[in-house]
Amino acid sequence: MNFQRTEEQQMIIENLRKFLDAEIEPAFREHGEGFIPREKMQRWLQSLTDFGICKAPHSEEWGGFGMDWLTHLMVFEEVAYTSLDIAIPGFINCTGAEIIRQLGTAEQKEKYVADILACNKFISMGISEPDVGSDVAAVKTRAVLDGDEWVINGEKTWITNGEYSDVFICTCRTGEGEISHILIDREEHGYDVVGIPKMALNGQSTAQVFLSDVRVPVSNTLGERGSGLKNTLKIFEYARCHMAIWGIGVARRALDESIKYSQERLQHGKAIAGHQLIAEKIATMATQIDAARLLSYRAMDMVQKGERADKECSMAKWYGTEIAVTATRDAVEIHGGNGVTKEFVVERLAREAIIAPIPDGTTEIQKLLISRALTGINAFR
Ligand SMILES: Cc1cc2nc3c(=O)[nH]c(=O)nc-3n(C[C@H](O)[C@H](O)[C@H](O)COP(=O)(O)OP(=O)(O)OC[C@H]3O[C@@H](n4cnc5c(N)ncnc54)[C@H](O)[C@@H]3O)c2cc1C
């Protein structure tokens, strides 16, 4: 496995970094942490699709770059370093388009994939419900056949991109012990959406989705009927690698801010970087970030080669998101009192990092999955 950047990847990342620093960072800072309206989000994301956000791993047939998923992780890390609020909708669109590309009919692909990758449309994916979190097999949202239509009733929660979404991949119970994915086009079939205020990441959308007698044609079934659980696990593989990079982007920013601050801040007659306990924090952050990145690259490499990678994806997700929590806490400590003020970015990073271990399976769930893969014994129930 060689994860050195190719010349092409290096060029993309350097150009992207310059663009993010010059254009997106000041614009995002001016906007602040409030909700980013759809048009603005779309404008920002579309300015980034030329650098590969959403498009890097997808084939040219769909307007993509025909590169690979590692390139997308690299691009995603850079955008996350500047603004997770902007990076997250891009990651959902990129993986959502992949799910339709892998499972969809020719008509479904034609209708959505290129538009989602170009961020003309936004996609959401809904598994979680008020009573259904870590135990994804317990989904209650029900789709009942009525002639050649599904009638869907239920409530989904924590849905990323919910307020922006044009199309929703809804995980539904379609029969006894049967879970399926159904595509709901918001313009054609409608669903109600309410945003959820959070401790951070309020720029992007996390929402409740209410489905009340929503009727969609049976032809909107995504993938084989009854294959919803199996396909959800496939979605998790892509999502968990990106979640790891969410953590890494935030941790790397916290590290850079800490290096700068510790070089400049003088206490006890010298720069605090010269105090050994601060030096230890910097060294630990840098080493953990590199280790986390290698774990996530390995997992993504296996996923894109079609190898079984559930254990590796869980390791990457657990480690990448948890080191973000410790790295950002250390960054706040390195900044002393300044670290808890709005003037210094580490305050925001620490709040964003705390959220990272939760979506797409908590750290506890990742550990149970890793252990089950190693021992063959299920510790879930
Ligand atoms: C910002 C954000 C974005 C999200 N985006 C989406 C999205 O787009 N689509 C979507 O469908 N969902 C999304 N989610 C939901 C997310 O996947 C769930 O929050 C997550 O799976 C945990 O479920 P829960 O919140 O119901 O917690 P619960 O499952 O209730 O868990 C609560 C606690 O109990 C622990 N726990 C649960 N079961 C066990 C067990 N067997 N052993 C040990 N500990 C256990 C958990 O680790 C956790 O610490 C998002 C969540 C957030 C915060």
Side-chain angles (χ1 to χ4, degrees):
M1 280 182 284
N2 176 9
F3 297 136
Q4 289 298 106
R5 285 181 189 165
T6 62
E7 264 180 47
E8 193 181 6
Q9 286 169 337
Q10 186 62 24
M11 198 175 68
I12 289 174
I13 298 305
E14 277 173 16
N15 289 334
L16 172 61
R17 189 72 260 144
K18 282 185 201 146
F19 180 77
L20 287 163
D21 290 344
E23 305 289 335
I24 301 293
E25 177 83 35
F28 179 63
R29 206 176 304 147
E30 192 190 332
H31 175 86
E33 289 194 53
F35 185 69
I36 302 167
R38 182 188 156 112
E39 295 67 34
K40 195 172 196 177
M41 180 64 87
Q42 196 166 29
R43 196 163 8 97
W44 279 343
L45 272 175
Q46 286 179 338
S47 72
L48 293 167
T49 55
D50 288 345
F51 297 97
I53 195 88
C54 300
K55 291 188 171 179
H58 289 275
S59 76
E60 286 160 18
E61 180 188 1
W62 305 110
F65 287 10
M67 295 180 75
D68 64 2
W69 283 91
L70 289 179
T71 313
H72 198 255
L73 292 189
M74 292 171 198
V75 169
F76 182 61
E77 179 180 329
E78 293 307 318
V79 184
Y81 180 99
T82 298
S83 165
L84 262 183
D85 277 314
I86 303 172
I88 291 170
F91 132 58
I92 298 292
N93 264 20
C94 188
T95 49
E98 177 64 9
I99 301 310
I100 298 183
R101 195 198 61 75
Q102 282 189 22
L103 305 176
T105 61
E107 291 75 31
Q108 289 167 347
K109 290 185 217 180
E110 197 57 47
K111 191 167 174 185
Y112 296 114
V113 174
D115 270 341
I116 292 170
L117 294 181
C119 295
N120 296 328
K121 287 188 171 160
F122 286 93
I123 191 164
S124 282
M125 291 174 268
I127 303 161
S128 307
E129 300 175 3
D131 296 332
V132 181
S134 300
D135 187 4
V136 296
V139 161
K140 288 180 181 163
T141 294
R142 190 164 284 280
V144 177
L145 266 185
D146 181 19
D148 57 2
E149 286 182 327
W150 289 115
V151 183
I152 306 171
N153 281 289
E155 181 184 334
K156 295 289 179 183
T157 192
W158 307 116
I159 305 307
T160 305
N161 273 1
E163 286 149 292
Y164 303 135
S165 65
D166 299 286
V167 58
F168 182 43
I169 302 180
C170 188
T171 309
C172 300
R173 188 160 294 284
T174 46
E176 205 44 50
E178 184 186 278
I179 292 178
S180 308
H181 283 129
I182 300 177
L183 279 172
I184 309 179
D185 189 299
R186 195 170 181 181
E187 199 174 71
E188 291 169 10
H189 311 293
Y191 45 83
D192 295 323
V193 170
V194 177
I196 303 172
K198 304 171 294 297
M199 64 188 290
L201 298 174
N202 289 303
Q204 54 90 53
S205 168
T206 312
Q208 293 168 282
V209 176
F210 298 94
L211 303 146
S212 174
D213 284 332
V214 174
R215 301 182 82 91
V216 304
V218 174
S219 57
N220 280 27
T221 312
L222 181 64
E224 258 176 59
R225 182 175 165 174
S227 64
L229 208 50
K230 186 182 84 191
N231 292 334
T232 294
L233 301 181
K234 200 77 218 145
I235 297 172
F236 277 150
E237 291 192 346
Y238 289 89
R240 285 174 182 161
C241 295
H242 283 80
M243 284 303 308
I245 296 289
W246 157 340
I248 291 161
V250 169
R252 196 185 109 209
R253 178 70 180 264
L255 171 64
D256 286 354
E257 298 292 331
S258 299
I259 291 172
K260 194 157 48 107
Y261 191 84
S262 66
Q263 289 167 332
E264 290 166 2
R265 176 75 177 169
L266 306 178
Q267 286 298 295
H268 299 282
K270 60 178 177 178
I272 59 169
H275 295 303
Q276 291 182 353
L277 295 179
I278 298 292
E280 187 273 343
K281 285 192 205 302
I282 301 273
T284 302
M285 285 158 85
T287 306
Q288 289 181 337
I289 290 166
D290 268 11
R293 193 184 289 109
L294 287 170
L295 277 177
S296 58
Y297 283 6
R298 177 185 68 170
M300 193 82 254
D301 190 49
M302 291 172 74
V303 172
Q304 70 182 2
K305 284 178 178 153
E307 295 170 14
R308 181 164 183 177
D310 49 345
K311 173 167 58 74
E312 288 75 10
C313 290
S314 289
M315 288 177 172
K317 200 270 175 178
W318 155 28
Y319 194 70
T321 56
E322 290 291 349
I323 63 116
V325 179
T326 52
T328 54
R329 188 204 56 209
D330 282 353
V332 169
E333 284 177 4
I334 288 171
H335 282 70
N338 282 331
V340 300
T341 67
K342 295 283 175 193
E343 216 179 305
F344 288 81
V345 71
V346 292
E347 181 271 341
R348 168 171 65 81
L349 299 176
R351 285 183 286 115
E352 291 177 347
I354 284 184
I355 299 176
I358 299 169
D360 293 311
T362 61
T363 297
E364 290 79 9
I365 297 303
Q366 305 309 329
K367 289 179 179 175
L368 293 179
L369 291 168
I370 295 164
S371 166
R372 186 177 66 184
L374 292 169
T375 64
I377 296 174
N378 188 352
F380 277 95
R381 293 189 166 84

